[in-house]
Amino acid sequence: MESLLQHLDRFSELLAVSRTAHVSTWDPATVRRALQWARYLRHIHRRFGRHGRIRTALERRLHNQWRQEGGFGRGPVPGLANFQALGRCDVLLSLRLLENRALGDAARHHLLQQLFPGPGVPDTGEETLQESLASLARRRSAVHLLRFNGYRENPNLQEDSLMKTQAELLLERLQEVGKVEAEGPTRFLSNLWERLPKNNFLKVMAVALLQPPLSPRPQEELEPGIHKTHGEGSQALVLWLLRNSEVFAAFCRALPAGLLTLVTSRHPALSPVYLGLLTDWGRRLHYDLQKGIWVGTESQDVPWEELHDRFQSLCQASPPLKDEVLTSLETCKAQDGDFEVPGLSIWTDLLLALRSGAFRKRQIMDFTPDLSSV
């Protein structure tokens, strides 16, 4: 057991070195030995996956390394954070070497030969390293889509094919990093928020939260440990937004009122926080007697028109969201003095405007001529 733990420690060090300039000294033989070491740990993963004592010991060593070193996997690809990650050691190592420009030409050429051995190679019955890397490249394409396709405008974002593709890939990636480490989705989303165009990322998150659940593929139905649904990714996304008030405020301010209404209708945990933000924005406005309108003190304050549109959109949602919004407005109005005269309380004016708008809408519907007999 101790020898196995030492092998694990050394490979963790090697995995960390694979992202540094030290790989410039690696030759083809070094690359070959490193991949053999990684495949040995894959063998350990397969052999001891159901051996409780050994698996627990390896998990404990990996968790200790992660805490001490701050994680070997800073970036899109998780490191050796748990036992499950041992099953993809060769993928982690190969990807980091491919991304490292310091790797010499001879070593890189040998690595590519290992990844793409060509025809005539016997089929081992397992997923090849080439297939694993192709799968990982497909997942990582979400990050590239987010970075390079951020300026496409569409009034119906949830129906935009590019946005939906980005959203689906983001949800799939969130699920995968969650399997590797409990805090994987949090770290992954925080990295994306720091690195990517924020306006596009906010839109993709909103569209991701509106995606329907995925049906499992046939092989996943046979493996109870695999659950390919968008639900897990959406839940991770909701939790991350709730834990990052600054991001959620930007999310609510940047996105259209109708899209936010759809999102909060789908994810009730977000609605009270969204309502709280709208309330805070409303309290920052004051009534300008000369202009006869509610205005902000600072340039970044939400204007009356936008505040009204957001509340109006929420009031057009189905219960219980609609009822929750009206109750919140009535409570704010009562706390403000329960005035019925316009210009004294923004909540009174919002309720009057919303009721007036609803009344006009009913009038239009009631007096729409029946053209079926014409």
Side-chain angles (χ1 to χ4, degrees):
M1 171 62 74
E2 187 58 34
S3 174
L4 179 57
L5 292 175
Q6 290 177 1
H7 281 306
L8 185 61
D9 291 343
R10 290 170 184 167
F11 182 77
S12 296
E13 294 171 1
L14 182 148
L15 195 61
V17 169
S18 66
R19 276 188 167 172
T20 69
H22 292 293
V23 299
S24 61
T25 64
W26 287 21
D27 57 13
T30 306
V31 172
R32 183 171 58 254
R33 287 195 300 270
L35 288 173
Q36 289 173 347
W37 208 342
R39 292 181 183 122
Y40 166 72
L41 289 179
R42 278 191 70 180
H43 170 72
I44 295 299
H45 175 266
R46 291 195 302 271
R47 181 176 179 182
F48 297 110
R50 298 183 179 181
H51 195 295
R53 185 175 65 87
I54 295 178
R55 177 167 181 154
T56 300
L58 291 172
E59 285 269 11
R60 186 180 301 114
R61 180 63 63 94
L62 287 168
H63 284 309
N64 289 338
Q65 288 175 340
W66 190 265
R67 285 195 298 268
Q68 291 171 6
E69 302 296 333
F72 295 110
R74 289 188 289 264
V77 185
L80 294 179
N82 56 26
F83 182 83
Q84 188 175 359
L86 295 182
R88 46 202 300 272
C89 285
D90 50 352
V91 175
L92 290 169
L93 176 62
S94 300
L95 186 63
R96 295 181 182 205
L97 289 175
L98 287 172
E99 292 177 337
N100 194 337
R101 296 181 179 180
L103 187 67
D105 292 339
R108 187 177 299 275
H109 180 70
H110 181 76
L111 175 61
L112 291 173
Q113 285 183 324
Q114 295 292 312
L115 300 181
F116 305 98
V121 178
D123 184 2
T124 62
E126 301 177 5
E127 182 183 43
T128 65
L129 182 55
Q130 180 181 354
E131 291 169 341
S132 299
L133 280 172
S135 175
L136 187 59
R138 178 179 56 82
R139 298 193 300 263
R140 283 167 60 87
S141 64
V143 177
H144 296 290
L145 277 172
L146 286 165
R147 179 179 291 119
F148 298 119
N149 296 279
Y151 301 100
R152 175 169 168 172
E153 294 298 332
N154 189 327
N156 297 317
L157 289 175
Q158 64 273 26
E159 301 300 328
D160 185 284
S161 58
L162 178 60
M163 281 288 173
K164 289 175 69 175
T165 299
Q166 295 181 64
E168 289 168 0
L169 289 169
L170 175 62
L171 290 172
E172 184 177 345
R173 188 75 181 106
L174 284 173
Q175 182 183 349
E176 289 165 350
V177 297
K179 289 180 180 179
V180 174
E181 184 195 2
E183 292 299 316
T186 297
R187 182 179 292 108
F188 177 65
L189 287 168
S190 296
N191 285 336
L192 290 181
W193 178 249
E194 293 175 1
R195 296 163 47 205
L196 302 178
K198 290 181 171 48
N199 188 49
N200 187 63
F201 187 38
L202 293 170
K203 295 176 183 177
V204 173
M205 284 193 290
V207 176
L209 291 173
L210 296 176
Q211 295 306 299
L214 283 178
S215 299
R217 293 194 291 261
Q219 64 268 29
E220 292 167 345
E221 293 177 343
L222 300 175
E223 300 182 41
I226 298 178
H227 303 283
K228 185 177 177 58
T229 67
H230 279 164
E232 295 176 15
S234 296
Q235 183 180 11
L237 191 50
V238 168
L239 290 175
W240 184 73
L241 285 171
L242 291 175
R243 292 171 182 171
N244 294 271
S245 57
E246 182 181 347
V247 178
F248 189 66
F251 182 80
C252 295
R253 184 66 193 272
L255 298 177
L259 186 61
L260 281 170
T261 297
L262 291 174
V263 170
T264 49
S265 297
R266 180 75 64 87
H267 301 279
L270 296 175
S271 61
V273 189
Y274 181 37
L275 275 174
L277 276 173
L278 292 178
T279 302
D280 290 340
W281 294 344
R283 286 177 177 149
R284 295 181 63 87
L285 303 184
H286 66 275
Y287 193 72
D288 188 316
L289 291 173
Q290 293 181 344
K291 297 180 180 179
I293 58 173
W294 292 88
V295 297
T297 304
E298 305 292 339
S299 59
Q300 67 268 23
D301 289 339
V302 175
W304 158 267
E305 293 79 10
E306 180 181 341
L307 193 66
H308 171 266
D309 289 347
R310 293 186 180 280
F311 273 113
Q312 184 179 53
S313 178
L314 289 170
C315 287
Q316 292 171 351
S318 302
L321 179 57
K322 175 182 177 180
D323 298 334
E324 183 181 352
V325 173
L326 291 174
T327 299
S328 176
L329 285 171
E330 292 285 359
T331 300
C332 290
K333 174 174 173 284
Q335 292 173 346
D336 233 13
D338 209 14
F339 299 106
E340 297 295 338
V341 180
L344 296 179
S345 168
I346 190 171
W347 315 116
T348 298
D349 289 11
L350 276 170
L351 282 166
L352 289 173
L354 292 171
R355 289 166 182 161
S356 175
F359 177 72
R360 285 197 300 270
K361 183 178 179 181
R362 285 197 300 271
Q363 281 186 317
I364 293 172
M365 293 177 64
D366 291 341
F367 289 98
T368 299
D370 184 4
L371 302 178
S372 59
S373 60
V374 177

